[in-house]
Amino acid sequence: MNPLYYVSIVREALNEDLGFQDLTTETIISESHCSVAEITAKETGILVGMDIARCAFELLDKKVNFQAKIADGARVSPGQVVAVIEGRTRTLLGGERVALNFMQRLSGIATVTNKAVESIKDFSSHLVDTRKTTPGLRGLEKYSVRMGGGYNHRFGLFDAVMIKDNHIAASGGITEAVSLVRAKVGHMVKVEVETETLPQVEEALQTPIDIIMLDNMSTDQMKEAVQLINKKVLTEASGGITLDTLVRVAETGVDLISLGWLTHSAKALDLSLNIIE
Amino acid sequence: MNPLYYVSIVREALNEDLGFQDLTTETIISESHCSVAEITAKETGILVGMDIARCAFELLDKKVNFQAKIADGARVSPGQVVAVIEGRTRTLLGGERVALNFMQRLSGIATVTNKAVESIKDFSSHLVDTRKTTPGLRGLEKYSVRMGGGYNHRFGLFDAVMIKDNHIAASGGITEAVSLVRAKVGHMVKVEVETETLPQVEEALQTPIDIIMLDNMSTDQMKEAVQLINKKVLTEASGGITLDTLVRVAETGVDLISLGWLTHSAKALDLSLNIIE
Amino acid sequence: MNPLYYVSIVREALNEDLGFQDLTTETIISESHCSVAEITAKETGILVGMDIARCAFELLDKKVNFQAKIADGARVSPGQVVAVIEGRTRTLLGGERVALNFMQRLSGIATVTNKAVESIKDFSSHLVDTRKTTPGLRGLEKYSVRMGGGYNHRFGLFDAVMIKDNHIAASGGITEAVSLVRAKVGHMVKVEVETETLPQVEEALQTPIDIIMLDNMSTDQMKEAVQLINKKVLTEASGGITLDTLVRVAETGVDLISLGWLTHSAKALDLSLNIIE
Amino acid sequence: MNPLYYVSIVREALNEDLGFQDLTTETIISESHCSVAEITAKETGILVGMDIARCAFELLDKKVNFQAKIADGARVSPGQVVAVIEGRTRTLLGGERVALNFMQRLSGIATVTNKAVESIKDFSSHLVDTRKTTPGLRGLEKYSVRMGGGYNHRFGLFDAVMIKDNHIAASGGITEAVSLVRAKVGHMVKVEVETETLPQVEEALQTPIDIIMLDNMSTDQMKEAVQLINKKVLTEASGGITLDTLVRVAETGVDLISLGWLTHSAKALDLSLNIIE
Amino acid sequence: MNPLYYVSIVREALNEDLGFQDLTTETIISESHCSVAEITAKETGILVGMDIARCAFELLDKKVNFQAKIADGARVSPGQVVAVIEGRTRTLLGGERVALNFMQRLSGIATVTNKAVESIKDFSSHLVDTRKTTPGLRGLEKYSVRMGGGYNHRFGLFDAVMIKDNHIAASGGITEAVSLVRAKVGHMVKVEVETETLPQVEEALQTPIDIIMLDNMSTDQMKEAVQLINKKVLTEASGGITLDTLVRVAETGVDLISLGWLTHSAKALDLSLNIIE
Amino acid sequence: MNPLYYVSIVREALNEDLGFQDLTTETIISESHCSVAEITAKETGILVGMDIARCAFELLDKKVNFQAKIADGARVSPGQVVAVIEGRTRTLLGGERVALNFMQRLSGIATVTNKAVESIKDFSSHLVDTRKTTPGLRGLEKYSVRMGGGYNHRFGLFDAVMIKDNHIAASGGITEAVSLVRAKVGHMVKVEVETETLPQVEEALQTPIDIIMLDNMSTDQMKEAVQLINKKVLTEASGGITLDTLVRVAETGVDLISLGWLTHSAKALDLSLNIIE
C-alpha cells in the first residue's frame, strides 16, 4: 500500500479520538513514564492491520518501538500475542483505541472473507468485494479482503467500466451502451455488463466486453448462462448471495462471486491491548 | 449536527468513489439527461442518514431535488420509499453508492441499537455507546446510536475523564488517580472510574467522582455493587455483554450499559436506489 | 497536548510567514552556515510555549537542536535565557518570528491569568476561561490558562451544556430547558444554567443540573445566591468582572469566576531571539 | 480581500467551536425555530469584520439574512447596532461566538491603531504594522490595521527584503549584504536595511536600498539620522515605541513608525449579540 | 469529470495567485464596479477548459455570469470569442490569470494531440497519453488528450498493471512476472508487458496478458512484432516517437502509440481576456 | 525555498500517481528487495529539482539514500549521471515517475531560460518571468527561472502593484490610478504601470511609480520610450517577444524583458531513471 495513503487516514483518526488532549492520561501519568504493552487476539481469525497500528503509535511519538509478531493475513488464536509495543505510557494509551479500532475492523473483514473462501475452496470460483465499503476506508478494506484470500473488484467509478441497468435503459440497450463505451474508453480499461436475463446474456455476448455479471439470477439460470457464455468472457455472480447459498453458486461454475457483506457487515475481530510492565 | 462536519466527510467519500470521473456514466449518459430515483428500504429497521444522503447528491450538483419521505430515526418496512431524488442522471448515479453506503451503515447501527433498547424497555437502564467506532465516522455513528434510542458515552479522550486500570496502576490507586484528576480538571468535566472488584468499588465511592464503571463483572457482582453504591453515583456495566445477556444485566439495576458492538459490528441495513423514470 | 494538534497549527503559521521562501535570508546566508541562538525574556511573567517553539524550528529542519531551559508555567525574569537553539542559520531565522509570536501570546495569557489567580489566592474561588479565544488557537490558549494557574471551562459547544437566556426563552423556562436536555444528553456531560435573578436561581435549584452561573449580578446578589444555593451545585460568577473587582467577587464565596479577558485581551509577553555565535 | 482566504479561516474556527454538534442548542431548540438578532457595540471604537461575521453565519446556513448596518472602518458608539441577522435560531446561536471572536479582535486592532494614528495626525509620519501578528490571522489583522488608518509593512518573509543585524553579521557588512541581495532579487522587491547607529546609516546610504530602519534609536539619534538621510530613501522608526513616546518619534520627521503592539497586544472591542425577537 | 476534483484544483490555483488580496484591483476599482469581458482565441487550435474557467470566476463570486460560446474540444480560430463573462470587475480581474493559465495549457495539449491524431488519420492506430503529466493536473491533462482526439493510457500506478524491465529483472522473467500478477490481481485489471526484443514478444505471447508494449523498437522490428502477435493481444508502440516519425510507426499496424510529449512539452495555446464594457 | 512548501506539493503528486497502491510493483517485487538507481540526463540543459526528487523518494521511505551528483542550476550533458539513489526497489519504482516529472519540467524551464539569457548576454537587460505559470507550481517554476539565470517578476496579485489597462480605464487615467494606489499601499510595495503609447509613458513619468512597462510596443517605440524615461524609473518590455526578436528588444536598452513562454511553453528536459544493480 502507498504509505502516504494510510498515514493520512490514521492521522485523522487520532485527531478524532484525541482532540486537543487526552484529559485522563495527561493528568494522571507523567510524560516520562514508560511501559510495555501487548496486543492480544481474543478470538480466532485472520489478523490485518500491523502497519496501521504501528503508524497510530509512531505518529504520536516517533521513538515508540512497535514489534509485529505476525504478518498481515496470518491466522490467530485466542490469547495469541500479535504485537508488542514499548514506549511512553502516554503514547501507548493515546494510540490504543485507534490502533485497535482499525485492526479489529480490518481483521473482521479478512476473517469473514476467509471463512467464505474456505467454504468454496473445492471450486474454481474466486470471491470478490464490491464498492459497498466504509466511506473513507475503501483502500484498507479492499486490502483486508485480499488478506483474507479474496480478490478485488474495481476500486471505484474511475478505474473500470460497469454497465448497469440504468445505463442500458438510458442508452437504448446493451449493444448501444457497449458501443458508446468502446468508442471512448482507453485500452487499459476493462468493461463489465450487468445482465438479469438469458436474452441479455446473449446480447452481451455479441459485444466486445470482458465480463458478464449475472445479477440476482437463480442458480439454475446461472448454470445456463455459464454454459451459454462458455468461457468466452468471465462470469460474475452477484446479488443476494449468503454464506449458506455460496456453495450452490460456486457449483454453477461462475468465475467470480461478489459479496457486499464482506465489507459492509463484517463483525469486528476481538483484540485487546494490555500494559504488561 | 454541525453541517460543516458531515459535509467534509461526504466530500471525501465522493472523491474516494468517483476519483477523476465516473468512466461508465460519463461515457454513456449525456450531461442533460434527467431522471427520478427512489431510495427504498429492503428490510425492517430504523432509518438514519437523510442529511448525509442529500449532501452526497447536492455536492455533485446544487440543483438536485432531494425529498426525504421520513425523518431520521423512523422505523421503515420492506418496500417503503424513504426518499425521492430528481436531477441529472449523472448526478443520481454518481452519488448513489456513497449515499447508500452511509445510510446503510448508519441505519444498521440505529437498528441494532433499537433492538437492544427494546429488549430492556421494562428496565431503567440506558444503553450507551463506546469509542469502538469506525475511524473517521464517530460523530455520525454516535448520532445513529441516539436515533436508535441509545445514549452517547464520552466522544473521545478530550471531553470527559475515564480512569482505567492502567491509570490506576500507574498512579498507585484509585484514590491517588482521582486526586490528581480533581486537582487539574475543570468543573465542566465528568469523571468515571473503572472498577473490577467490590473493594475497588468501595474505594471509588470514597472519592469525588461521577460514575463508577463495573467492568467485566458477573451479574451477581454487579447487583452487589449497585446496592453498595446505592445511587450515590451513576453505575455503568461494561464488558462482554451480548444481546442475550442484556436483560440479566439490566435486572441488576445499573444506570448504564455500554455496548461496543452497537458500532463496531453492526450489520448494514439493506437499501436500494432505483431510477423510476 | 495531542502533538498532532499543535504541529498542524505551527505548520500553517510557518507557511503564512515564509510563503515560498525567505527572500532575505536565502539570498544572503548560505545553506551550510550555522549559528547558536538564545530566546530571552525581556520582562517578568509566566512562560508558555516550549513545545510549540521547538516544533517551529524542527518543522523546518529535523536536525535543529532546541534546548528548553525551563518548563512551561515557570516564572521568568528580564534577561533570563529560556531556550538555546543550535542549527543552520537559515532555520533559526526562518522559524524565529513564528516561534516568538506563539510564545509571546501564550505567555501573555499565562501571565495575566497568574496575576489574577494570585490576587485571589486567599479565597477558594477558581478562575476559569471562556470561549472568547483567538479563532484557531483555542487549545493552546486554554493550555496557557492552565499554565498560569487557572482552570478550563468547557472547550466548545460540543463537550458540555450551557443553557443561556436564549435557550430559556425559546423553550419556555429553565425547568423546560433542563428537562429537554436531561432527556437526550449522555451521562458524561455536565449541565450549567445561566441565571440573572434570584428567582431564576431558585427555579434552577429545583432541576437536575451541575452548575449555576450568576450572570452580571452585583456582588450583593451573588452573595445571596451563593447562600441560597448552599453548595448543592457549583456556582460561577460571570460578566464584567475586572482585575479591580475580582477580590470582591471572590469574597462572595462563588466556586468559579470566569474571565473573557484572560484570552481575548492579554498583552504579549516580551521575548527576543538573539544569535549569540 | 480574497474571499477564499477568509472563508477557510472562518470554517476552521466554526469547527473548533462547534465540533460535531452544539449540544445545548440542538437539544433545546427545534430546527425550524427562527429569530432575529442584533450585534451591538458596547464601547467606542472602530468596527472591523462584517464580511467575516456574515461568513460565519452563512457557512452554517446559506439562507441566513445578514444585514451590515455600517461598513468596516466606521466608528461605533456604545449601544449602536452594527448588524442585524435573521435566520434559524440554531444558526444564530451556532455562529454567534465565532463571529464575535473575530469582530472583537479585529475591531480591537483597528481601534488601537486609530488611536495611535490620531495622536500623530499633525505629523507626516505613517504608522505601520509588523509581523508580530496572531499565527493564522495575519491577513485579517493587517486588514484591520488599514481600517484603523495605519499602513502595512511587508506581509511575510517572502514579499520584501529586510536586512537585519544577523544578516549583516553573517555577510560581513551592510554593503556586502545589499550587494548579495541586489544580485539576485527581482525588480518588484523593495529592500530595507536595519541600522542601529549613525555610521550604519551612512554605510546604508551608499547602497541601492529603498528604506532605512532606525532600530531602537533615541529620538535625538533619529533626528540626526533623518537629517543625514535627507529624503534620499524612506526612514522607519522601530523598537520600543509606546503610545506615550509616539509624538516625540513623529517629531523626528521619520516617514514610518512601526508598532508591534497594534497587533500583538490589542484589547478586544466589546460587542454583544442579542436575540431581539 | 467529477466536479469536486477540479474545483479543489482551481481553488488552490486562485489562492496561489491572489494570496490574501489583489493589491492593485482592490485599491483602484470599487467593489460595486461591473464589467463584461470576453475570452478570445489568438491562434488556431482545440479549446479545452470551459468548466475550469467558469469555476475560477464562480469561486470568487457565485453571481458571476459565465457564458461558454463553444464546447470543449471545438476548433477555434484567431479572433474567435470563446466565452463572455459578466460580473464585478474585481472578480473578472481576480480570476483572469488563473482561468487563462488553465485554458491555455489544456488547450495546448488538446491542440498538439489533435495535430498528431490528424497526421495518422488514415491508419487504425490510436494515440494514447502517458503518466508524464504535470504534477497535480493529471486528470485535467488526460481529459484534454481525449478532447484532442487521443485516448487515455492507465491513470496511475493503481488502476492497471504495466510490467516493465525492472519488474522482469527482479522476478526472473516475463513468464514469472505475469504469473505473480495473475495470482493476485483482480479481474477488472488489465495487464500490459513491456518488451524490447522479438524473443521477449514471443515469451509474452505465451502468457495471459492483454497488451504488449513494443518499447524503443525500430519500425522494422515493430512490423515483425505486429505480425508475430497477429492481433492475439493489443500492441503499443512507445519510446522516442516524434511528430515526424509518427506516420511510419502507424504504418507498422500497431494498435496504440503512446506519446509523452502530448502532455510534458505542449506549447500553451494563446488566449486573452479583454474587458469590453 | 521553504521546505514545507514543496513537500506538500510532492506529497500530492505521489498520491496522484500511486493512489492506494502500485499494483504492479507490490505484486511482483518483495518488500525487502533493494536496488541502486541512477538518474541520467539524456540531453543538454540546465538541471533543476534535486530537493524535489529527493523528497519524492524520502516521503515514501525515510531510509532511502539519495545522493545528488550536481547542484541545481548546473549544466548537464547527455549520459551524465545526476543522482544516485539506493533503497527498497518498491520505493525507487514508486517515486520514479513523480521525481522525473518534476525534474524534467523544472529543468526544461531553466534550460529555455538559460538559452534566452545567453542570447542577450552582451546586453544589460534582465530576463524576467510572468504569472503565466502552471497552476499549483508557481514557486517551483519561478525558482527554475532563477536557476536558469533569469529573474522573478512579482509572485502574484498580492506582493506588488501592476496597474494595467483595465485599471487605468476604470479609474480615469494613469494619474488617478497611481494616486489611488499611493494613498493606500504600504511602503514595501513596488508599483508598475503598463503603457502602450508614448503619451502614456509621459503621463506615467509624472507619477510616483517604480517601473514602466512598455507593452506590445515596436522596438522603435521602445527605444524612444527608453530615451524619454532616461533611467528615472525602470523599464520593462513585454508582449509577443520571441527568441528571435529578443536581441532586438535588448538593443533598445530596456532594463527588463518579461517572457511568458519561459514557463507556459517550456519543453521538458529528457531524463531517465535506471536501476543499475
Side-chain angles (χ1 to χ4, degrees), chain C residues 139-272:
Chain C
L140 300 180
E141 295 192 346
K142 286 189 165 264
Y143 168 76
S144 304
V145 167
R146 294 201 301 275
M147 289 299 109
Y151 287 81
N152 294 151
H153 209 296
R154 64 173 173 166
F155 193 91
L157 297 172
F158 54 88
D159 62 335
V161 167
M162 169 80 82
I163 301 173
K164 298 196 171 188
D165 50 357
N166 294 317
H167 301 108
I168 295 169
S171 59
I174 289 175
T175 310
E176 291 77 3
V178 174
S179 168
L180 283 166
V181 162
R182 280 300 177 201
K184 294 194 195 162
V185 158
H187 69 288
M188 294 302 270
V189 174
K190 288 221 175 170
V191 178
E192 178 163 357
V193 172
E194 194 179 287
T195 63
E196 291 170 343
T197 64
L198 291 178
Q200 280 190 315
V201 172
E202 283 171 353
E203 182 179 358
L205 263 182
Q206 306 306 316
T207 65
I209 54 170
D210 301 292
I211 304 104
I212 293 178
M213 177 192 279
L214 311 174
D215 194 35
N216 282 309
M217 290 189 185
S218 68
T219 49
D220 283 349
Q221 279 178 300
M222 279 187 208
K223 260 183 220 160
E224 219 172 322
V226 168
Q227 284 173 342
L228 194 63
I229 294 166
N230 195 20
K231 296 286 171 196
K232 281 174 210 144
V233 297
L234 292 176
T235 50
E236 173 187 343
S238 179
I241 302 163
T242 66
L243 202 48
D244 290 335
T245 62
L246 200 48
V247 166
R248 264 173 294 143
V249 173
E251 284 172 348
T252 65
V254 291
D255 297 301
L256 304 146
I257 305 172
S258 60
L259 300 170
W261 44 267
L262 298 183
T263 50
H264 72 52
S265 295
K267 210 177 101 357
L269 187 78
D270 202 3
L271 301 170
S272 69

Side-chain angles (χ1 to χ4, degrees), chain E residues 3-234:
Chain E
L4 299 172
Y5 166 63
Y6 67 74
V7 169
S8 72
I9 292 178
V10 177
R11 180 180 285 114
E12 286 311 303
L14 286 168
N15 280 329
E16 181 184 60
D17 195 32
L18 279 161
F20 308 92
Q21 61 192 317
D22 178 346
L23 262 182
T24 316
T25 302
E26 293 182 32
T27 304
I28 296 178
I29 296 175
S30 76
E31 202 169 352
S32 58
H33 193 282
C34 286
S35 299
V36 180
E38 285 178 351
I39 299 181
T40 309
K42 296 173 74 176
E43 56 180 323
T44 298
I46 304 297
L47 197 99
V48 176
M50 279 301 170
D51 285 344
I52 314 298
R54 171 183 288 111
C55 177
F57 296 105
E58 288 185 350
L59 278 173
L60 294 178
D61 182 0
K62 266 173 251 163
K63 293 180 198 140
V64 85
N65 177 16
F66 182 100
Q67 299 162 256
K69 293 300 182 188
I70 56 169
D72 276 6
R75 179 174 297 276
V76 294
S77 314
Q80 187 175 343
V81 173
V82 301
V84 176
I85 317 148
E86 292 180 58
R88 297 195 299 144
T89 310
R90 286 188 175 183
T91 303
L92 301 189
L93 298 181
E96 170 185 5
R97 188 72 262 141
V98 167
L100 291 179
N101 280 352
F102 276 110
M103 280 188 129
Q104 291 189 230
R105 173 170 301 270
L106 301 182
S107 299
I109 289 171
T111 300
V112 72
T113 300
N114 193 253
K115 193 173 171 186
V117 165
E118 286 297 309
S119 78
I120 58 164
K121 69 180 172 195
D122 297 334
F123 301 90
S124 63
S125 310
H126 278 183
L127 288 192
V128 298
D129 53 28
T130 65
R131 285 164 50 237
K132 297 179 180 179
T133 56
T134 308
L137 305 183
R138 188 171 287 171
L140 300 180
E141 295 193 345
K142 286 190 165 260
Y143 168 77
S144 304
V145 167
R146 293 200 302 276
M147 289 299 108
Y151 288 81
N152 293 151
H153 209 297
R154 64 173 173 166
F155 193 93
L157 297 171
F158 53 88
D159 62 336
V161 166
M162 170 79 83
I163 301 173
K164 298 197 171 189
D165 51 358
N166 293 317
H167 301 109
I168 295 168
S171 59
I174 288 174
T175 310
E176 291 77 3
V178 174
S179 167
L180 282 166
V181 162
R182 282 298 178 202
K184 293 194 198 163
V185 158
H187 68 287
M188 293 304 270
V189 175
K190 288 222 174 168
V191 178
E192 178 162 356
V193 172
E194 195 179 288
T195 63
E196 291 170 342
T197 65
L198 290 177
Q200 281 191 313
V201 172
E202 282 171 354
E203 183 179 358
L205 263 182
Q206 306 306 315
T207 64
I209 55 170
D210 301 292
I211 304 105
I212 292 178
M213 178 193 278
L214 311 174
D215 194 34
N216 281 310
M217 290 190 185
S218 68
T219 49
D220 283 349
Q221 279 179 299
M222 280 188 207
K223 260 182 220 159
E224 219 172 322
V226 168
Q227 285 172 343
L228 193 63
I229 295 166
N230 195 20
K231 297 285 171 196
K232 281 174 212 143
V233 297
L234 292 175

Side-chain angles (χ1 to χ4, degrees), chain B residues 76-274:
Chain B
V76 294
S77 314
Q80 185 175 346
V81 173
V82 302
V84 176
I85 317 148
E86 292 180 58
R88 297 196 297 145
T89 310
R90 286 188 175 183
T91 303
L92 302 189
L93 298 180
E96 170 184 7
R97 189 73 262 140
V98 167
L100 291 179
N101 281 353
F102 276 110
M103 280 187 129
Q104 292 190 229
R105 174 168 302 267
L106 301 183
S107 300
I109 289 171
T111 300
V112 72
T113 300
N114 193 253
K115 193 173 171 186
V117 165
E118 287 296 309
S119 78
I120 58 164
K121 69 179 172 195
D122 297 334
F123 302 89
S124 63
S125 309
H126 278 183
L127 288 191
V128 297
D129 53 31
T130 66
R131 286 164 48 237
K132 297 180 179 177
T133 56
T134 308
L137 305 183
R138 189 171 287 170
L140 301 179
E141 295 191 348
K142 286 190 165 260
Y143 168 77
S144 303
V145 167
R146 292 201 301 275
M147 289 299 108
Y151 288 81
N152 293 152
H153 210 296
R154 64 172 173 168
F155 193 92
L157 296 170
F158 54 88
D159 62 335
V161 166
M162 170 79 83
I163 301 172
K164 298 196 170 188
D165 51 357
N166 293 317
H167 300 108
I168 295 168
S171 59
I174 288 174
T175 309
E176 291 77 3
V178 174
S179 167
L180 282 167
V181 162
R182 280 300 178 199
K184 293 196 197 162
V185 157
H187 69 287
M188 294 303 271
V189 174
K190 289 221 175 170
V191 179
E192 178 162 357
V193 172
E194 196 179 287
T195 64
E196 291 171 342
T197 65
L198 290 177
Q200 280 190 315
V201 171
E202 283 171 352
E203 183 180 358
L205 263 182
Q206 306 306 315
T207 64
I209 55 170
D210 301 292
I211 305 106
I212 292 179
M213 178 193 277
L214 311 174
D215 195 35
N216 282 310
M217 290 190 185
S218 69
T219 49
D220 284 349
Q221 279 179 299
M222 279 187 210
K223 260 182 219 159
E224 219 172 322
V226 167
Q227 286 173 341
L228 193 61
I229 294 166
N230 195 21
K231 297 286 174 195
K232 279 175 213 143
V233 296
L234 292 175
T235 51
E236 173 186 344
S238 177
I241 301 163
T242 66
L243 202 47
D244 290 336
T245 61
L246 200 49
V247 165
R248 264 174 295 141
V249 173
E251 285 172 346
T252 66
V254 291
D255 298 300
L256 304 147
I257 304 172
S258 60
L259 301 169
W261 44 267
L262 299 184
T263 50
H264 74 50
S265 295
K267 207 176 105 354
L269 186 79
D270 202 2
L271 301 169
S272 69
L273 179 148
N274 300 293

Side-chain angles (χ1 to χ4, degrees), chain B residues 25-39:
Chain B
T25 302
E26 293 182 33
T27 304
I28 296 178
I29 296 174
S30 76
E31 202 170 351
S32 58
H33 194 281
C34 286
S35 297
V36 180
E38 284 177 351
I39 300 181

